[in-house]
Amino acid sequence: MGKRTYEDALGFQTKAVHTGNDVDRETGAIRRPIVMANSYELPYDPTDMNWSSAGEKPLYTRNGGANQNYLQEKLRSLEGGDDCVVLASGVAALSGLFFTLLTSGDHAVFSNITYIAVYRLLNELLPGKYGVGTTIVDTSDLEAVRAAIRPNTKLIHIETPGNPTTQISDIAAIAQLAHDRGILLSVDNTFASPYSQRPLELGADLVVESLTKYINGHGDAMGGAVIGPKALIDRIRADAMVNLGGAISPFNAWLIMRGAVTLPLRMREHNNNALAVARFLEDQKGVRFVAYPGLESHRGHETAKRQMINGFGGVLAFGLNADHETHNRFVAALRIITSAVSLGHDESLIVFLGEKDERQYLYPEEFHGGFFRLSVGIEDARDLIGDLSRALDAVGLK
Ligand SMILES: *Cc1c(COP(=O)(O)O)cnc(C)c1O
């Protein structure tokens, strides 16, 4: 059994700790060092090298350096994929994937609920500047996905749970639909992380992660990754990293590698805390609705139970039985939960998404009155619930 086969058979926690790390042969250090060099020694005859791709041996940091390679090895292994490319941000990973796989005249189907940059890229940029046709569909509805497919459809892109409403789409069913027609399926797995969901094992071709979120987990570094078959990842690496220049810095790759070690431990807390907070909110008369895939009341709960392992992620959405201004006053009354964008950090973060969001027409009815996206952190659940309870009281909703 080769080293890689042996490592792939290990448990998720063991991989999170060990994969990608090794003794540094130069110093004997048992942690891989940060290699900040921009360039690496060339072989005796450099003219034989493939300059537009990254080999095993680093060449130049924009083609992939030591720390990038270590992190790629860890992520590949955690997602159960063949190969991985890490890039400067989650959006660099998404744009790299779309620009690499889609050409003028192609068509892509994408989810109604996605990170905002996906909407900009696939609804505006690629159609407007590059002649790529795209269709937005409710991907929680399999028939709607089927109906949106055209003869020139090359890619289906979904996000599950979706940002910001936590909509669930059925990965295995959409993968089947796609593959029957020779279409690729990419899944943004950022909300679940590979601890809670492994889209490649469910049939997806490519997984995207914003490493900025759970995988780094400490709110102090940006990164993105695409994981999938080597032939596709090689193309994305060449286009997105080498030629478009979306390389991650060695220091950020090192920070994310360090954060990823505790991913399973943190995710357990995120998952447990989010469920506890969702259940608390669901019982409050001042709360208009709560959307969390772990609640029986969630539209996608049955699908989520089938495809999410080890819990339902740390993000939920909810709205108050109150006007716009009261939503702002509620946030101002919170003492532990911070008002800020991003998610998947150790600390809890809340953002008020008001009624002015241009994508409201794509959201279910209950979201139209403005709502919060709450990323539940790894603080004590009791304190988070106390904070929310106090803020409800402060705005007269208790
Ligand atoms: C944050 C986020 C992204 C973008 O990641 P960045 O690292 O901020 O570029 C993509 N997808 C989802 C689901 C996200 O939450």
Side-chain angles (χ1 to χ4, degrees), residues 33-40 61 66-67 249-252 254:
I34 308 176
V35 181
M36 294 299 284
N38 288 343
S39 201
Y40 293 79
T61 294
N67 295 97
S249 80
F251 184 55
N252 280 5
W254 180 86

Side-chain angles (χ1 to χ4, degrees), residues 89-91 94 115 159 163 188 190-191 210 212-213 222-223 343:
S89 66
V91 168
L94 287 161
Y115 189 70
E159 209 173 286
N163 189 354
D188 187 327
T190 301
F191 265 39
S210 166
T212 313
K213 313 293 172 53
M222 287 205 146
L343 55 97

Side-chain angles (χ1 to χ4, degrees), residues 16-22 31-32 67-75 215-216 251-262:
V17 173
H18 289 282
T19 311
N21 190 41
D22 210 340
R31 286 270 154 177
R32 289 240 150 109
N67 295 97
Q68 290 91 318
N69 290 350
Y70 305 148
L71 179 58
Q72 283 167 185
E73 180 54 21
K74 193 186 285 299
L75 297 175
I215 291 177
N216 179 53
F251 184 55
N252 280 5
W254 180 86
L255 278 172
I256 294 164
M257 178 96 174
R258 184 189 218 251
V261 169
T262 54

Side-chain angles (χ1 to χ4, degrees), residues 74-106:
K74 193 186 285 299
L75 297 175
R76 177 203 71 69
S77 158
L78 292 178
E79 297 280 357
D82 184 33
D83 199 1
C84 169
V85 55
V86 297
L87 294 156
S89 66
V91 168
L94 287 161
S95 60
L97 188 154
F98 300 149
F99 276 93
T100 303
L101 299 182
L102 298 169
T103 307
S104 302
D106 287 348

Side-chain angles (χ1 to χ4, degrees), residues 114-384:
T114 62
Y115 189 70
I116 182 73
V118 171
Y119 180 78
R120 293 267 171 269
L121 284 161
L122 291 181
N123 196 49
E124 294 165 16
L125 234 116
L126 274 96
K129 299 180 83 164
Y130 304 100
V132 173
T134 60
T135 306
I136 304 176
V137 292
D138 176 352
T139 51
S140 68
D141 176 354
L142 204 58
E143 287 316 307
V145 179
R146 197 193 313 272
I149 292 171
R150 298 184 193 164
N152 59 339
T153 304
K154 293 285 157 53
L155 179 73
I156 300 175
H157 179 77
I158 65 172
E159 209 173 286
T160 182
N163 189 354
T165 69
T166 76
Q167 172 175 278
I168 299 293
S169 302
D170 188 331
I171 299 170
I174 298 174
Q176 175 90 55
L177 202 67
H179 295 163
D180 286 349
R181 294 158 179 81
I183 299 167
L184 294 172
L185 171 65
S186 55
V187 179
D188 187 327
N189 198 41
T190 301
F191 265 39
S193 93
Y195 176 74
S196 292
Q197 181 170 273
R198 278 169 232 141
L200 297 176
E201 292 173 3
L202 296 163
D205 298 284
L206 294 155
V207 179
V208 180
E209 295 278 359
S210 166
L211 307 175
T212 313
K213 313 293 172 53
Y214 290 106
I215 291 177
N216 179 53
H218 295 76
D220 52 13
M222 287 205 146
V226 189
I227 301 99
K230 184 169 179 352
L232 290 176
I233 298 299
D234 270 346
R235 284 175 56 201
I236 296 171
R237 183 178 283 125
D239 282 4
M241 188 162 83
V242 182
N243 298 320
L244 288 172
I248 192 171
S249 80
F251 184 55
N252 280 5
W254 180 86
L255 278 172
I256 294 164
M257 178 96 174
R258 184 189 218 251
V261 169
T262 54
L263 176 69
L265 283 70
R266 287 183 287 100
M267 281 318 292
R268 267 205 290 284
E269 295 301 313
H270 285 295
N271 291 344
N272 290 339
N273 282 357
L275 188 58
V277 166
R279 288 200 170 127
F280 163 78
L281 288 170
E282 205 172 37
D283 280 345
Q284 305 303 305
K285 61 179 185 315
V287 171
R288 196 173 77 244
F289 77 96
V290 186
Y292 181 65
L295 293 177
E296 289 75 21
S297 60
H298 193 282
R299 280 184 193 84
H301 181 63
E302 288 308 314
T303 307
K305 268 203 308 200
R306 247 186 292 118
Q307 68 190 14
M308 299 185 81
I309 42 179
N310 306 320
F312 300 93
V315 182
L316 53 91
F318 70 103
L320 302 177
N321 269 319
D323 61 8
H324 183 99
E325 182 52 22
T326 307
H327 281 78
N328 282 326
R329 284 199 296 122
F330 172 82
V331 170
L334 293 166
R335 290 187 207 151
I336 295 170
I337 302 167
T338 306
S339 173
V341 296
S342 199
L343 55 97
H345 296 193
D346 41 21
E347 72 203 298
S348 295
L349 300 174
I350 194 165
V351 54
F352 177 34
L353 298 161
E355 308 85 328
K356 291 176 204 122
D357 187 331
E358 69 187 280
R359 295 185 298 165
Q360 288 237 345
Y361 76 99
L362 296 169
Y363 299 161
E365 191 78 30
E366 63 268 29
F367 289 85
H368 293 186
F371 63 97
F372 300 118
R373 184 189 67 197
L374 173 61
S375 168
V376 181
I378 59 173
E379 300 96 333
D380 288 294
R382 192 191 54 161
D383 292 335
L384 297 177

